[in-house]
Amino acid sequence: MLIRMVLAITDSSLQAYLDRRLSAPDVRVETLAGDGSIWQKLMHCACDVIVVSETLVPGAADDGIGMLNDLPENPTTIVILGNDSAEAHAYLTAAGADVVLYGGISKKRIFEVIDTALESRRQFIQRRRYDRRGSADPKIADFVSESRAMQLFMEDVMQVIPSDSPILLLGETGVGKEHLAKAIHAQSPRSVAPFVSVNMAAMPEQLLESELFGHERGAFTGAVRYRRGAFELAHGGTLFLDEIGEMPLHLQSTLLRVLQDYEVKPVGGETAIELDVRVIAATNQNLEELIASGRFRQDLYYRLSVLMLTIPPLRHRREDIPSMVRRFMAFYRHRIGREINGIQDQALQALCNYDWPGNVRELMNVIERAILLSKTDEISINEFPHGFKGDRSGVDGRFSGVDGNWGELTHKTWPEVQKIVMDEVERSYLTLVLQKTRGNISKTAQMAGVHPRGLYNKMKRLKLRKEDFK
């Protein structure tokens, strides 16, 4: 996060010296001087560290320092004394000042003390983030998979983690786009800085600009103090823009400019703020269709899609479902406080057979529900929603079968039958998609939610040629 420091010092020479020495890539210094409204400005700014001369604190010092400490940011308060009085020093410390300095000591010494307080503030912000996030932070290990399509996808993910380029995450609802974005951040060199998330679909259009870029006091009715935007809060870290396809068209040009210049100008502000932020955007929509309909800027799409990753849906990696079930059972067992020790084979098979339109999020909800409803220490199919209990033996009504003769399967082992049936299903599915895209591999991979390399390998194994669909 960008640390904001405000200097309100009567000694203009000292103020100019500190302004010059304290400015840093992650520190924005604002100086207040001149008229008698300095205190009012102090009360309406958003800052992490305040350096103020004692003579500028109105009324009783304990009341004034208390007002500063009650600001929403709970700033670190540093008071500059005009005289070297032990009594005044003790009084201000008792009033709640974090640091009290005599203004008569050398400027260098004052700078060193304030710089130490600034470093303490950095550590305080990081400790507060880790305390809040707890031990269940997303990590790349959460995406370890037995699915070849997912393994190829994660190979690409591991390659892009160290870079600072924007990422566009594509995938159906519930596949874990935000979870992956957090895992990328946690694995990257930016992990010590904040991860900030903004959902474009959940924010009213009239507030979204302020939410993203911040606003100055008086920028509009109700803006009574400065507000930091998501870009400023994410300084040094990662900003996740969820549902990017829902972003209003008039704000897309502003976002494009920010991504090109990495400068943000708050609403109502005149001065741009330089920022260091990695942007990860996500959507379950087809942005190319939105571009064609005039609802999404093509130049913004090109800027966001420097690195484009499509997360495979859960139905395309069913082999991962058993391990996911065990992981979610362990998580919810601890969270809910139920002693659930296992899951019946019939119940696990039902989970593996289900199509999962809600993907991983739906699987988590089903496991949580089952643990809450289970009457024993083992999950059964009775704890699942009605859709999991139907007779699924009618699969032969969905496609013609293997060469139209299901009886031949009785002479094969169960693993052989599984492979034959899955190959038939995959061949039928990919044939339909390839017909729709006229053999376009890129579009087919995007529609199927797989990596183009994985699609090529699968087509080769199933003896499908793109030329046959032109």
Side-chain angles (χ1 to χ4, degrees), residues 356-367:
W356 299 109
N359 290 288
V360 179
R361 185 185 297 130
E362 184 182 6
L363 175 59
M364 293 179 70
N365 293 340
V366 168
I367 297 301

Side-chain angles (χ1 to χ4, degrees), residues 68-89:
L68 294 177
N69 290 336
D70 287 339
L71 290 174
E73 294 76 21
N74 187 25
T76 299
T77 307
I78 302 172
V79 181
I80 306 294
L81 274 174
N83 58 81
D84 191 10
S85 166
E87 182 178 351
H89 190 286

Side-chain angles (χ1 to χ4, degrees), residues 47-51 69 73-78 98-99 117 120-121:
C47 54
D48 303 288
V49 181
I50 293 175
V51 184
N69 290 336
E73 294 76 21
N74 187 25
T76 299
T77 307
I78 302 172
D98 295 290
V99 180
S120 297
R121 183 70 184 193

Side-chain angles (χ1 to χ4, degrees), residues 187-201:
Q187 189 85 7
S188 75
R190 296 176 174 269
S191 60
V192 297
F195 177 93
V196 178
S197 176
V198 178
N199 189 315
M200 301 294 174

Side-chain angles (χ1 to χ4, degrees), residues 279-462:
V279 171
I280 301 179
T283 183
N284 59 6
Q285 300 186 63
N286 188 323
L287 293 184
E288 293 181 351
E289 290 182 359
L290 294 182
I291 291 171
S293 63
R295 290 182 290 161
F296 201 84
R297 292 181 61 110
Q298 189 173 42
D299 46 6
L300 177 59
Y301 171 74
Y302 289 143
R303 186 71 189 106
L304 288 172
S305 61
V306 173
L307 301 169
M308 187 162 59
L309 303 170
T310 302
I311 306 179
L314 188 56
R315 64 182 176 276
H316 291 162
R317 45 189 178 104
R318 297 180 187 275
E319 52 267 67
D320 292 334
I321 291 176
S323 61
M324 286 183 173
V325 169
R326 289 191 292 271
R327 188 167 78 243
F328 296 151
M329 283 177 60
F331 175 74
Y332 285 115
R333 182 171 60 231
H334 173 75
R335 181 174 178 177
I336 296 172
R338 292 289 308 278
E339 199 57 44
I340 303 295
N341 299 320
I343 180 171
Q344 295 179 3
D345 291 342
Q346 181 189 19
L348 183 59
Q349 191 60 49
L351 295 178
C352 292
N353 290 338
Y354 186 62
D355 283 339
W356 299 109
N359 290 288
V360 179
R361 185 185 297 130
E362 184 182 6
L363 175 59
M364 293 179 70
N365 293 340
V366 168
I367 297 301
E368 182 179 11
R369 178 185 190 271
I371 290 178
L372 285 168
L373 296 179
S374 180
K375 297 178 177 61
T376 67
D377 64 349
E378 192 175 47
I379 292 176
S380 71
I381 198 170
N382 295 324
E383 281 83 60
F384 294 163
H386 180 72
F388 290 85
K389 304 171 187 176
D391 179 14
R392 301 186 64 85
S393 61
V395 66
D396 52 344
R398 297 188 189 182
F399 60 98
S400 60
V402 183
D403 297 329
N405 188 356
W406 282 96
E408 292 294 325
L409 298 181
T410 59
H411 302 294
K412 299 183 181 297
T413 65
W414 174 240
E416 289 174 334
V417 170
Q418 282 185 310
K419 185 178 186 308
I420 291 170
V421 173
M422 286 306 299
D423 283 352
E424 178 75 8
V425 172
E426 289 181 345
R427 184 181 291 105
S428 300
Y429 171 77
L430 289 179
T431 298
L432 291 172
V433 179
L434 285 165
Q435 287 174 345
K436 186 173 182 178
T437 64
R438 298 181 182 274
N440 186 306
I441 296 299
S442 177
K443 289 184 179 179
T444 301
Q446 186 173 357
M447 289 179 65
V450 298
H451 193 280
R453 282 185 294 171
L455 177 61
Y456 269 119
N457 292 336
K458 196 175 292 291
M459 289 175 61
K460 184 177 180 181
R461 179 171 59 82
L462 297 173

Side-chain angles (χ1 to χ4, degrees), residues 5 11 18 50 55 108-109 125-126 138 146 188 190 196 213 228 245 250 272 285 311 354 393 429 432-433 438 467:
M5 172 180 284
D11 184 343
L18 292 176
I50 293 175
T55 55
K108 181 181 179 182
R109 182 59 181 155
I125 291 172
Q126 290 185 14
E146 297 179 19
S188 75
R190 296 176 174 269
V196 178
F213 311 120
R228 291 167 164 156
H250 73 277
Q285 300 186 63
I311 306 179
Y354 186 62
S393 61
Y429 171 77
L432 291 172
V433 179
R438 298 181 182 274
E467 293 81 5

